[in-house]
Amino acid sequence: AQTVTQSQPEMSVQEAETVTLSCTYDTSESDYYLFWYKQPPSRQMILVIRQEAYKQQNATENRFSVNFQKAAKSFSLKISDSQLGDAAMYFCAYRTPASGSRLTFGEGTQLTVNP
Amino acid sequence: GAGVSQTPSNKVTEKGKYVELRCDPISGHTALYWYRQSLGQGPEFLIYFQGTGAADDSGLPNDRFFAVRPEGSVSTLKIQRTERGDSAVYLCASSLTYGAENYGYTFGSGTRLTVV
């Protein structure tokens, strides 16, 4: 079965500091898409960043960047200059052509940002 | 609409009752998805619509769950004979068309269903 593992149920960071959230996944396919979603208490899942597996360059979106290690099947999220508004549940997910349109999500990491 | 709208926001029902959860996707989005998120878990896929048809319903847990999208826009998730284990947040998402999900979906805020 295809799986996503987020080994850190909870993480905390001081405001303005940097934090890295871990994610590993398991697929036998070579072509797939990886995502990080943020879920605040409002429950709405918000796309933070995405990565195409065929691209070697790590994706960046402002303060958010990823460390994509394809051979290790690792896809970590780095948040720089953490802000209070970054506090939320973060989910790693991926989609493969074999899975159709479905996303497979990890169990999430609860991020707390301390002032 | 500007975003994906789900109603009701919260629903409490008694065990054995029938419930309907509604999703209004972004205007023009042909692809629509339902996910279920149990407490402390990530979302799990239920069903995917492309237009009016269910292109993939392999995630529906059993025949008590059914979803429709008769006009290719609004979708309704229907749960018969609800059980306490059905308690979860039901999330709806949409994307412009098949393939656009590679760029991520737009999710709604979900319906929290509580079966007592």
Side-chain angles (χ1 to χ4, degrees):
Chain A
Q2 297 178 326
T3 60
V4 179
T5 302
Q6 295 180 246
S7 59
Q8 307 151 316
E10 299 178 346
M11 290 284 284
S12 63
V13 62
Q14 291 296 125
E15 196 175 2
E17 298 294 310
T18 296
V19 64
T20 298
L21 308 184
S22 301
C23 172
T24 58
Y25 56 93
D26 183 19
T27 178
S28 57
E29 299 195 41
S30 60
D31 182 25
Y32 47 88
Y33 296 83
L34 296 160
F35 305 87
W36 278 98
Y37 279 88
K38 167 186 177 181
Q39 187 178 42
S42 67
R43 298 195 306 242
Q44 184 182 18
M45 301 280 283
I46 300 166
L47 180 65
V48 174
I49 197 165
R50 59 182 286 274
Q51 174 83 40
E52 295 148 338
Y54 65 85
K55 289 188 177 180
Q56 293 185 337
Q57 186 173 6
N58 289 323
T60 63
E61 287 287 343
N62 302 313
R63 298 182 296 107
F64 299 87
S65 62
V66 299
N67 183 4
F68 173 47
Q69 301 290 329
K70 190 171 184 178
K73 295 181 182 177
S74 171
F75 182 60
S76 60
L77 175 69
K78 185 171 83 170
I79 306 174
S80 303
D81 186 25
S82 297
Q83 301 177 358
L84 295 177
D86 294 334
M89 197 75 169
Y90 285 80
F91 291 95
C92 177
Y94 75 98
R95 174 188 173 268
T96 71
S99 65
S101 289
R102 69 173 66 191
L103 292 178
T104 300
F105 286 88
E107 295 191 344
T109 297
Q110 180 68 51
L111 178 66
T112 300
V113 180
N114 300 309
Chain B
V4 177
S5 175
Q6 291 189 248
T7 54
S9 180
N10 294 282
K11 174 72 175 178
V12 180
T13 191
E14 292 181 348
K15 179 175 177 294
K17 297 289 188 182
Y18 168 83
V19 295
E20 290 189 351
L21 311 180
R22 176 187 167 108
C23 173
D24 198 342
I26 292 174
S27 179
H29 279 195
T30 60
L32 184 145
Y33 316 84
W34 284 99
Y35 283 76
R36 178 168 71 173
Q37 186 176 19
S38 300
L39 188 64
Q41 303 293 316
E44 292 181 310
F45 172 82
L46 294 177
I47 187 170
Y48 155 58
F49 286 92
Q50 182 59 43
T52 60
D56 181 358
D57 65 357
S58 61
L60 295 177
N62 51 60
D63 61 7
R64 295 187 298 105
F65 288 75
F66 190 70
V68 295
R69 194 185 185 200
E71 298 179 355
S73 54
V74 171
S75 176
T76 304
L77 179 65
K78 308 180 180 192
I79 310 174
Q80 299 177 323
R81 304 184 303 279
T82 51
E83 300 176 357
R84 291 195 179 88
D86 298 334
S87 297
V89 173
Y90 289 81
L91 293 166
C92 178
S94 69
S95 66
L96 190 58
T97 187
Y98 181 78
E101 71 274 7
N102 292 334
Y103 297 91
Y105 308 150
T106 300
F107 279 88
S109 294
T111 293
R112 181 182 299 280
L113 176 66
T114 303
V115 182
V116 298

